[in-house]
Amino acid sequence: MAELITGYNIEYEETKESHDESNAQYLTFLIAGETFAVGILDVNEIIEVSEMTDVPMMPEFIRGVINLRGAVVPVIDLAARMERGRSELDKRSCIVLVETPLSDNQYQVVGMLVDSVNEIVEISQDHIQPAPAMGDGIDTRFIKAMGRVDELFFVLLDIENILSNEQITNLEQLKRMHQSSATTL
Amino acid sequence: MVDDMKLTFLQESEELLQQMEDALLAMEEAPDDEEHLNSVFRAMHTIKGAAGIFGYDFIVSFTHPVETVMDQVRSGNRSVDSDLVALLLECKDHTANLVQTVASDNEDNVPAELLENGCEILARLTGEGSENNSVKGATPSVAGASSPIEAEPQKATPNDNWVIALDFKQDALRNGLDPLSFIRYLQRLGEIVNIITFTHDMPAANEMDPETCYLSFRIALHSDSNKDEIESVFEFAVDDCDIRILPPHSKQITYLELLEDVEPESVQRLGDILVGIGAVTQQELEGALNEQEAIIDEAVANPEQKVKPLGEILVERNVVAKPVVEKALKKQEDNREKASRDAQYIRVDANRLGQLINLVGELVISNAAVKLMVDKYEIQEAQEVVAGVDNLVEDIRDHALQLRMVQIGDTFSRFRRVVRDVSKELNKDIKLVITGGEAELDKTVVEKINDPLTHLVRNSLDHGIESPEERLAKGKPAQGVLRLNALHDSGHIVIQIADDGAGLNVEKIRAKAEAIGLVKPDQVLSHRETLRLIFEPGLSTKTQASNLSGRGVGMDVVRRNIDALRGTVEVDSSVDKGTVVTIHLPLTLAIIDGFMVGVSGERYVIPLSMVEECVEIDNHQLDEQRSYVNLRGDVMPFLRLREFFDVPDDEVGDHSDRRESLVVVRFGRTKAGLVVDQLFGELQTVIKPLGKLFQGLKGISGATVLGSGDIALILDVQGVIGLASQRGGHKQGLVDHA
């Protein structure tokens, strides 16, 4: 987590040392003007947007791959993933690196492109509510729960579902469609 | 520690068993080849020895009788026939099972049926060798199997006595020795069976000097003592007496067995070996060595004199029997061989090698970064140094990768057993022909190719090659031939599995594919396309599933496995002529020589081994309409990478005068042109996997990190050509059928 603090200017609230079991910390960030959050334990690090290499023949939400200290890591455009259009890169854009479980206990590090990172918040368990059956245009599979800090609500994202195996299969289908559409030209 | 040793035991046993199997199969072809016999014997013997060290008595008690039988075969007391080989193969399998119980930590609780099975095999093995039914240890006992030496029956043969020759020197009496006292003392070690006194040196009475000793004795001693103990009796007489102690006959057998067990750790000198097992005492050895030295001195003065080897001297001096020396010499030779083998190979943990190769990969990237920096700041002085380092890094890379290269021959020869067993089971006569076994490829690739190969071989055996009657009816020789072949081709290894069997029935495949909805009845497919259907899931034309294959899984698994290795698999077949399955695989999954090209802002790496040539082209040379380019009369298809990959154009305005380059790539017999914007030249390319997310992506096989830290994608030339021909093919198809 040291990287998290040094790597980006986040006000880490050390004040509330009482790490109650019912309290959990979340990283909040902005995507297309909306606030989302992921559990801090899922986050490996946050980095600035560096040079990204496009991977051809992939759906739009795969933004490309980056070089993370010698490893090739795919970057997902969360805005595009949630059908909010391709996100525009600016000074505040960053990549949140998370580990997503794959099949057979393997993990893959994946970068999530977000518009900006806000802060780390602590939310007590009773301020977390189950995902609504129907949301505001977000695929409900991506929503793990809704969190509330003061009067502000935000979506806690389900990282596993954002790139679950099933999703990868969907990717392959998408790609096949891409191919077949090309072949019928 | 113990676990480490156990692991070594398991590994070595596995290797030895494999060697044994190879040798046994070879023995079927050439029963008289001594090398194979020795190899089988060695395997059983070494496993027995190692198991003994660990106290795995159940292994010892099984392998020992097998070893004994092998020894009979070696000495010509038993002949090799196919029954014996079959039985020995069973023994090998059973030993493998026993070793497996150790591997699964079950050594304290060996399944009873396994042991019974072992007894049964042994009974057949030893029972059939009728002239020698008394093979010891034929009924293995689990607990406390006695060691082979103790088990040797102590036969009381007439000459089961030590023979001691005492030749006293003339000064013996003057020096205060009493020969009789030695002989009396000798009785404490055992019974003196006989004693002969030689008096032939005794002169006539008038010439005799009473203070001179003229006597020699030959003593037959029955004793359980060893040679050293007996010699110690004469310790004080050494200077005044020539002593030779000949072991009893039964002891010689013991020596021979002891020799068998001499630790092969170091190459010992002959004398040391003999002293080590007690066949010769240190005194005797020194005497013999002195004699040899004297002979050498003589030889220096007189070149005619031949220097006798130590063994010969020892035999001549009657201190040791000839067979013992011969055996010791052979053992010495074996050990020397083994020592030199050990020196040639070092066992290395595969993970460590992997780490090394990863590090070399990082080194390659860092080196590229340094090169870039030196070029950028134009540091003249550093240029030369960097060039030197560059060469070294390239060498290191090649050598590091070479470390992991193994010959495919070992993988191939494992199928000898499969072919043998399956053909027996199916009552077919099938010969396996292996060629190109010396072709090398990365161990990581070899490991993963084993399963698909097994599938393909079994398919050929089961479905491909017909029974002898069928074959004869078709006018083919009764014996079917299965060929495994490997060769290198443009950075790939090509593996072929060919049989001369029935071939694939295109109509049947087609019907089945239609039945399961894979193709539509009106779809037009070429011969090759139809054949390719066999790699689709759920397609098996054999109506009756055998226990080997035919369940409709397999071929699709084969293709998936090979796809995962970034390889391709092709099948060609004609009815009653046979089937050829050809697999193309990359040699390594780590580092390759690449050729970098630029398309707009993006950079791609093409494996250098696939690049034939690069030419600058003008737009009008390309037939845009039909996607063909005429290069010096050679017509080949081309594709623009920019269009193919949908790379956004970074230049605006008129493109007609843009200079493009054509990179001619070749894969197998297919040639194609890739049109790119820029050529960057050769590049050492460290392949980084793209991860599961991009698993199904065709056309891109991986990524690499450039010196600048940027990422370039590696083109999968086969994939690109495949995709392009698919797209092009359909286009063609549309035109044709319009």
Side-chain angles (χ1 to χ4, degrees), chain A residues 51-58 62 64-67 69-74 76 102-104 106 108 110 163 165 168 171-172 175 178-179 182-185, chain B residues 362 365 602-604 644-648 688-700 703-706 709-713 723 726-727 730-731 734:
Chain A
E51 192 71 37
M52 274 190 278
T53 304
D54 270 346
V55 181
M57 301 182 291
M58 289 301 273
I62 303 276
V65 285
I66 53 164
N67 169 16
R69 294 184 295 276
V72 178
V73 171
I76 290 145
L102 297 171
S103 54
D104 9 297
Q106 286 179 315
Q108 186 183 9
V110 174
L163 267 176
N165 265 347
I168 292 170
L171 269 187
E172 279 166 10
K175 200 175 66 239
H178 176 91
Q179 278 169 15
T183 53
T184 47
L185 282 176
Chain B
E362 297 306 315
I365 293 171
E602 299 290 339
R603 273 173 283 188
Y604 298 96
F644 188 76
F645 282 156
D646 246 340
V647 183
K688 304 261 182 188
L690 274 176
K692 278 225 157 149
L693 199 53
F694 302 101
Q695 214 173 24
L697 183 59
K698 283 255 164 68
I700 302 287
T704 188
V705 176
L706 303 177
D710 292 343
I711 290 175
L713 299 174
L723 273 180
Q726 232 176 51
R727 296 185 193 180
H730 278 260
K731 209 194 279 178
L734 282 177

Side-chain angles (χ1 to χ4, degrees), chain B residues 360 364 391-405 591-593 684:
Chain B
V360 170
V364 167
N391 280 339
L392 284 175
V393 167
E394 202 167 314
D395 282 356
I396 290 173
R397 178 201 69 168
D398 288 346
H399 281 105
L401 286 176
Q402 196 62 44
L403 291 180
R404 232 174 27 184
M405 291 292 187
I591 310 174
I592 54 166
D593 276 315
Q684 295 187 53

Side-chain angles (χ1 to χ4, degrees), chain A residues 30-178:
Chain A
L30 277 180
I31 301 166
E34 270 182 82
T35 307
F36 292 88
V38 291
I40 198 80
L41 295 177
D42 290 331
V43 178
N44 275 9
E45 60 181 304
I46 303 168
I47 56 168
E48 285 180 65
V49 175
S50 54
E51 192 71 37
M52 274 190 278
T53 304
D54 270 346
V55 181
M57 301 182 291
M58 289 301 273
E60 196 188 21
F61 65 83
I62 303 276
R63 245 342 234 277
V65 285
I66 53 164
N67 169 16
L68 180 71
R69 294 184 295 276
V72 178
V73 171
V75 177
I76 290 145
D77 185 340
L78 276 188
R81 184 79 179 106
M82 291 184 288
E83 284 154 29
R84 278 169 166 57
R86 200 178 148 94
S87 87
E88 293 300 319
L89 297 184
D90 63 19
K91 269 196 301 194
R92 292 172 58 78
S93 298
C94 15
I95 296 170
V96 179
L97 291 157
V98 293
E99 272 185 6
T100 56
L102 297 171
S103 54
D104 9 297
N105 285 334
Q106 286 179 315
Y107 283 84
Q108 186 183 9
V109 176
V110 174
M112 302 191 300
L113 180 66
V114 300
D115 289 341
S116 69
V117 178
N118 290 354
E119 58 178 350
I120 293 169
V121 293
E122 201 160 308
I123 309 174
S124 71
Q125 203 57 51
D126 35 292
H127 284 187
I128 295 199
Q129 294 164 9
M134 41 207 302
D136 46 353
I138 306 173
D139 192 330
T140 46
R141 281 173 309 167
F142 299 161
I143 305 173
K144 201 181 204 170
M146 300 295 291
R148 180 169 65 88
V149 173
D150 301 328
E151 292 310 306
L152 188 74
F153 272 97
F154 48 79
V155 171
L156 301 182
L157 288 176
D158 189 331
I159 293 174
E160 287 182 30
N161 270 347
I162 285 181
L163 267 176
S164 66
N165 265 347
E166 174 201 344
Q167 302 300 315
I168 292 170
T169 324
N170 286 350
L171 269 187
E172 279 166 10
Q173 274 164 4
L174 266 174
K175 200 175 66 239
R176 278 204 198 106
M177 274 163 61
H178 176 91

